[in-house]
Amino acid sequence: MDKERLRRWFIPNRAKPPKPVASGLYHYQRESDGTYTRFHLRVEPDGQGMLLANATSAARLSPTGVMMAKALLDGRSPDSVLHTIKAGYKGADTDTIQADVARVSGLLNTLSAPGDNYPIINFDEIQIDVFQSQLMAPLEANIPLAEPEMLVPILDKLWDIGIPHVTILMPENPNAEHVIRAIERAEDLGLIAGVRGRATDLMQENLIQDLAMAGVDHITVLYASANADTHDALVGTGDHALMPDLYPTIQENEISAVAEIPLVASTFETLRETIDTLMAAGIYNYSFFAIVAPDEMEENERDGALPAQAMPQTAGWVEEIAQSADVRFLWQPPIQRDPRLSLAEQVQQGPRCTGDAAVRIEPNGDVIPPRGAYLVAGNVLRDEWQTIWQHEAFKRYRERVTAPTHCLDCPGLVICEADCPREQSGWAQGVGGAL
């Protein structure tokens, strides 16, 4: 089954279509050869849908494809689904409908074993504009760690909104009990759940084992460089020495391990060595974020951030390394260099959002788009989601990601799908406040 067929299929036009599946998020688990796959079927208000398997593989569905997928996930037989669909499509060819049901069934079987449970969805992989108004929400929310009394209501809202995946952003010296409680609640709801942090903070006591028991799906570790001095200068003294024990501990607990690599001058120099070292440790999932300085910024303020004009060449080399190594990788929106912070502080703070299919939600409920200035589009605890989704902050962002961003200078780069990496207006400008 080719990539395009995995994403969409078409059925005969009909004058009176059957009633579409109600808009919302539907959660299922399927067992195959002892392995469980978590499916999320997200149905949009217009009846179209997106089927996600462990949030790693996505297929776009027509309204009838949604009906077929939901019926099959509900446990109905292909013959039963065939009769239901045929009854709603008077005059439709039985062989055609049967072939469509077989395609949906085959899609479910294909997605049942995606081979990994770390959600990597680059903007170009979705093949749809995830920010169109008829789509009801992004695919992921990134939330800084806070007390359970603050996070639990937000996690509950994510399910109501239809956001199937959450990543908890761990601060320095996180409260382990708060992390565990957040993952437990996400698991109770049926959300895909991950955490992001440093080795220093993840290796405290039995945190990784406790996260595994709570149901965490992936752990993203900030890994700056295979060179210990380079890594520790950016991430913290002694952090690199924990790596040889950290990744095996994650893997022994059957958690998907991810390396998050910051791209600055010092880490760029050792990138090939870094990826080789991680691959030798069995790590094949990567996310990259660049800290970028405007070309006019003084050298002392840049402090090792990458210059804007060098971004296409830098991104091209990064993608060439990742693709030649045959690893899965995700681009996170570039971060604008903030001279009020040290470069190490910005590296540890990390990106605002995991990617362009994500949104940041602060512990107080404020919603921030993944790119551009730090603008609050609304509050999930107080405002209707559709009001937030139509806010000017997202409107401006939609206008940028829907416009063509590829050029003759660097055709074919994955990083260019959502915005040109050297365009300052497309960088995440500030995380905890506007620049």
Side-chain angles (χ1 to χ4, degrees), residues 199-425:
T200 301
D201 301 313
L202 287 160
M203 287 295 282
Q204 57 171 292
E205 299 182 355
N206 295 317
L207 179 57
I208 292 176
Q209 293 87 342
D210 292 341
L211 283 169
M213 290 294 293
V216 75
D217 292 290
H218 63 88
I219 293 179
T220 299
V221 183
L222 180 60
Y223 193 103
S225 175
N227 181 283
D229 290 340
T230 300
H231 177 95
D232 285 356
L234 293 169
V235 183
T237 302
D239 191 86
H240 193 275
L242 299 173
M243 292 296 179
D245 292 328
L246 174 63
Y247 279 120
T249 302
I250 294 173
Q251 292 162 333
E252 288 165 6
N253 284 274
E254 300 183 345
I255 304 168
S256 182
V258 187
E260 182 183 73
I261 301 178
L263 297 175
V264 296
S266 59
T267 63
F268 186 68
E269 294 171 358
T270 61
L271 182 60
R272 178 77 255 189
E273 178 189 357
T274 297
I275 291 182
D276 288 343
T277 300
L278 287 165
M279 288 181 64
I283 308 304
Y284 294 93
N285 292 318
Y286 298 84
S287 61
F288 299 107
F289 70 91
I291 299 180
V292 192
D295 290 324
E296 66 274 11
M297 182 175 282
E298 296 292 335
E299 185 65 34
N300 64 315
E301 292 185 333
R302 185 178 298 169
D303 192 28
L306 299 175
Q309 289 304 311
M311 277 302 295
Q313 181 179 1
T314 301
W317 195 65
V318 170
E319 291 184 20
E320 181 181 340
I321 291 176
Q323 290 165 355
S324 66
D326 195 24
V327 297
R328 302 173 69 233
F329 70 95
L330 169 72
W331 275 115
Q332 304 180 83
I335 302 169
Q336 181 169 325
R337 175 73 182 110
D338 184 351
R340 300 173 300 181
L341 304 174
S342 70
L343 188 65
E345 286 174 322
Q346 278 202 276
V347 165
Q348 292 178 40
Q349 186 172 256
R352 184 191 298 171
C353 289
T354 303
D356 283 297
V359 66
R360 185 184 183 94
I361 301 180
E362 301 292 4
N364 67 352
D366 286 347
V367 180
I368 318 296
R371 290 178 182 258
Y374 184 95
L375 296 175
V376 177
N379 188 288
V380 294
L381 300 176
R382 298 191 303 267
D383 303 323
E384 292 293 328
W385 177 253
Q386 281 306 312
T387 301
I388 297 172
W389 200 225
Q390 296 303 316
H391 188 275
E392 182 68 17
F394 283 110
K395 179 177 181 293
R396 285 198 296 269
Y397 181 67
R398 285 197 300 271
E399 288 172 350
R400 292 207 58 77
V401 299
T402 54
T405 55
H406 283 288
C407 63
L408 296 177
D409 294 338
C410 48
L413 289 181
V414 174
I415 196 174
C416 298
E417 286 291 335
D419 214 327
C420 175
R422 59 190 166 196
E423 285 294 330
Q424 185 174 351
S425 57

Side-chain angles (χ1 to χ4, degrees), residues 184-203:
E184 286 177 339
R185 183 56 183 167
E187 173 67 16
D188 289 344
L189 291 166
L191 298 170
I192 298 290
V195 298
R196 181 264 187 196
R198 303 181 305 164
T200 301
D201 301 313
L202 287 160
M203 287 295 282

Side-chain angles (χ1 to χ4, degrees), residues 75-95:
R76 292 178 56 188
S77 69
D79 284 344
S80 172
V81 177
L82 170 64
H83 292 312
T84 298
I85 299 298
K86 185 179 178 181
Y89 288 86
K90 299 299 183 182
D93 180 66
T94 300
D95 290 341

Side-chain angles (χ1 to χ4, degrees), residues 1-10 59-60 127:
M1 184 176 293
D2 59 29
K3 184 176 180 180
E4 181 62 20
R5 184 170 290 177
L6 282 176
R7 297 191 180 281
R8 64 173 80 218
W9 52 87
F10 301 93
R60 187 181 183 184
Q127 297 298 309

